[in-house]
Amino acid sequence: MVFIKNKKVRKFVLLFLFLFSIFGNLLFFFSSILFDFNIRRINQINWRENTLFSDVELFRSSLVKGAKEMLRTGMVDYVPQNNGTIRENLEFNLKGFADNSPLSFYANGWLLWVCVENANNKDEITECRELFREKIQLSSNFSVDQALFGVSALRLYEYTQNVEYLMYADSLYGWLKSHDTNYGIPYNVHSNCNLIDGLGMFNPFFIRYSKVRGCEESYNLALKQIDVFAKYCCDKETGIPSHGFLTERPYLKVGSANWGRGCGWFAMGLLGVDYSDLNEETRKVVDKFDNSVRTLYIENKFFTQFIGQQGDVDLSATLPLIYYLKCKKLISLNEKDILEYSKYCHDGYMYNSSGDTESLNRYNRYMGGFPLTQAIMAFLCMDRVII
């Protein structure tokens, strides 16, 4: 600072550099160091087995309560896609994940669905109606992620006979149908790649809509989506779907060939349709998928992030797949089997689930809470099929 002759200016510059240094160090702390600390903290929860619940009903009630809290306050220990930018890390460290956008994230759709299905009295139905209005706008702006809110809207209509829920479902159905192509409904309408994720979102809605509205067209639309993914996305030897496929020649399969949660999305898309209504080639694929998944389950009793590979349990793959196997009566689960998964439940929240993918071939290496896991575990605790 010898080149600065004026002492006042020199002091000001030194003070500025000092404060800037403090700010930079604090920014680094809250962005990187605190990020690593949070990931370590979540990992400690992941691998600390909790005391098992003694009763399935208590377990279910705890999960539903946790789902409501996640909807109100944001995702609990919902891990980020990666160690991201300073801004992304700061949001994860200081704010967590809270989604309140008009086109609400599909994660909230799962949480709301489980709350609505477990509404047993007028007060609980009113609470679900309030949560619905908080998380979704009854408008004509849609995305595939919205499909799960359509399921809740139809259920709320059955509870209340309020036509605004039916109107929302009608508009959503019209939007989804308008985006159907020879290669199915694309998860991202602006992409030349269709992803298996979408099948597990819009097909449960199509099935529910067909029942509530008596709409055969909706049911046939669900069948068509399965046919498309069976033809272009699934391995012909094992029936296991890839993450997605290109909708232009040469129709390449893209992404992981054994992504566990992708198999779960496929399974959720299959539930609710009559096997005999599928075409012959699709039935062959489904048979092989069922056999592959059942065989892996019998061998290991759980699924990893990439099924068939060694690794730790990933409940975002495990729970949808065992729910599917249970609903199809390919396996039997007793109360003890279901309560065994309560060791992964901490303060009402399910952990041990891989986070959202960043993009094709860039899968999340962090484990924590996940809304799909929360919802499917609660569905497993129920004594009825919800799709």
Side-chain angles (χ1 to χ4, degrees):
M1 292 296 173
V2 293
F3 60 88
I4 300 177
K5 302 297 185 180
N6 190 301
K7 289 184 178 181
K8 288 185 178 180
V9 174
R10 190 189 311 167
K11 286 181 179 180
F12 176 80
V13 171
L14 287 171
L15 179 61
F16 173 79
L17 291 174
F18 175 70
L19 293 175
F20 184 80
S21 174
I22 291 176
F23 174 77
N25 281 299
L26 286 173
L27 194 63
F28 177 74
F29 172 79
F30 283 112
S31 173
S32 296
I33 295 178
L34 196 56
F35 177 91
D36 291 335
F37 172 81
N38 272 331
I39 292 297
R40 287 171 183 257
R41 177 185 59 79
I42 294 171
N43 280 336
Q44 288 178 349
I45 298 174
N46 283 330
W47 310 125
R48 187 179 71 240
E49 293 187 357
N50 205 1
T51 303
L52 298 182
F53 277 78
S54 59
D55 180 77
V56 170
E57 181 60 25
L58 291 175
F59 186 23
R60 183 195 61 80
S61 297
S62 177
L63 292 168
V64 174
K65 181 181 178 182
K68 290 177 180 178
E69 286 302 312
M70 292 166 82
L71 279 169
R72 291 192 188 98
T73 63
M75 308 308 171
V76 175
D77 289 342
Y78 186 91
V79 293
Q81 293 174 326
N82 55 26
N83 189 339
T85 64
I86 291 176
R87 178 182 176 180
E88 290 168 341
N89 286 356
L90 284 173
E91 287 182 351
F92 167 66
N93 294 333
L94 303 178
K95 190 176 71 171
F97 183 92
D99 175 54
N100 297 292
S101 61
L103 296 181
S104 197
F105 189 40
Y106 77 88
N108 281 331
W110 283 105
L111 295 172
L112 183 60
W113 185 5
V114 77
C115 293
V116 170
E117 290 292 344
N118 283 275
N120 297 313
N121 55 55
K122 185 176 180 181
D123 289 341
E124 290 178 352
I125 293 171
T126 299
E127 184 180 22
C128 288
R129 296 183 70 181
E130 291 172 353
L131 287 169
F132 187 94
R133 283 206 167 276
E134 285 177 16
K135 294 301 174 184
I136 203 74
Q137 289 185 0
L138 297 174
S139 69
S140 58
N141 295 319
F142 296 112
S143 71
V144 169
D145 278 17
Q146 304 300 95
L148 292 166
F149 288 93
V151 178
S152 293
L154 289 167
R155 195 67 165 139
L156 287 171
Y157 169 72
E158 290 178 312
Y159 287 150
T160 67
Q161 297 300 299
N162 189 321
V163 294
E164 71 173 350
Y165 297 116
L166 201 58
M167 291 170 62
Y168 175 81
D170 287 343
S171 297
L172 175 60
Y173 176 72
W175 185 89
L176 288 168
K177 186 176 71 169
S178 72
H179 286 85
D180 186 35
T181 71
N182 291 333
Y183 309 103
I185 299 169
Y187 182 62
N188 183 338
V189 296
H190 303 295
S191 174
N192 69 337
C193 175
N194 204 349
L195 303 180
I196 196 70
D197 312 48
L199 185 69
M201 298 178 198
F202 46 64
N203 259 21
F205 169 68
F206 287 148
I207 298 300
R208 180 65 65 85
Y209 189 83
S210 71
K211 293 176 181 177
V212 175
R213 272 308 214 180
C215 180
E216 186 178 355
E217 179 189 56
S218 180
Y219 181 75
N220 290 333
L221 200 52
L223 292 175
K224 177 190 174 182
Q225 307 310 308
I226 297 171
D227 288 341
V228 166
F229 278 97
K231 180 179 180 179
Y232 292 106
C233 199
C234 293
D235 178 70
K236 295 303 181 284
E237 296 300 319
T238 64
I240 298 298
S242 294
H243 194 157
F245 66 94
L246 297 181
T247 56
E248 299 172 351
R249 290 187 183 277
Y251 310 119
L252 292 175
K253 295 178 178 66
V254 292
S256 170
N258 63 333
W259 180 40
R261 191 159 65 244
C263 293
W265 287 127
F266 187 56
M268 292 295 100
L270 291 173
L271 283 177
V273 302
D274 192 320
Y275 173 82
S276 63
D277 290 333
L278 299 169
N279 71 45
E280 184 178 356
E281 290 304 311
T282 298
R283 289 200 299 269
K284 290 178 182 178
V285 171
V286 172
D287 287 342
K288 290 177 179 179
F289 174 77
D290 289 354
N291 183 63
S292 297
V293 172
R294 183 175 181 273
T295 299
L296 288 171
Y297 172 76
I298 291 172
E299 289 176 357
N300 304 300
K301 299 300 182 184
F302 69 87
F303 298 93
T304 59
Q305 185 177 14
F306 302 99
I307 68 171
Q309 293 180 217
Q310 295 294 314
D312 297 312
V313 60
D314 182 349
L315 293 183
S316 73
T318 298
L319 296 182
L321 288 173
I322 67 170
Y323 181 72
Y324 170 79
L325 293 172
K326 177 178 180 287
C327 289
K328 292 196 70 174
K329 295 181 169 52
L330 295 172
I331 62 170
S332 59
L333 294 176
N334 57 35
E335 185 171 305
K336 183 179 178 182
D337 295 328
I338 292 173
L339 289 174
E340 185 65 25
Y341 290 98
S342 67
K343 66 186 178 184
Y344 302 112
C345 183
H346 302 273
D347 298 321
Y349 308 111
M350 296 296 293
Y351 282 74
N352 298 77
S353 302
S354 59
D356 272 314
T357 58
E358 184 176 357
S359 61
L360 285 169
N361 299 317
R362 298 183 70 179
Y363 295 90
N364 204 312
R365 61 191 180 94
Y366 302 122
M367 293 282 221
F370 198 71
L372 172 66
T373 301
Q374 187 85 9
I376 300 298
M377 189 69 251
F379 290 152
L380 274 165
C381 292
M382 298 167 66
D383 58 358
R384 58 188 171 88
V385 179
I386 49 82
I387 297 178

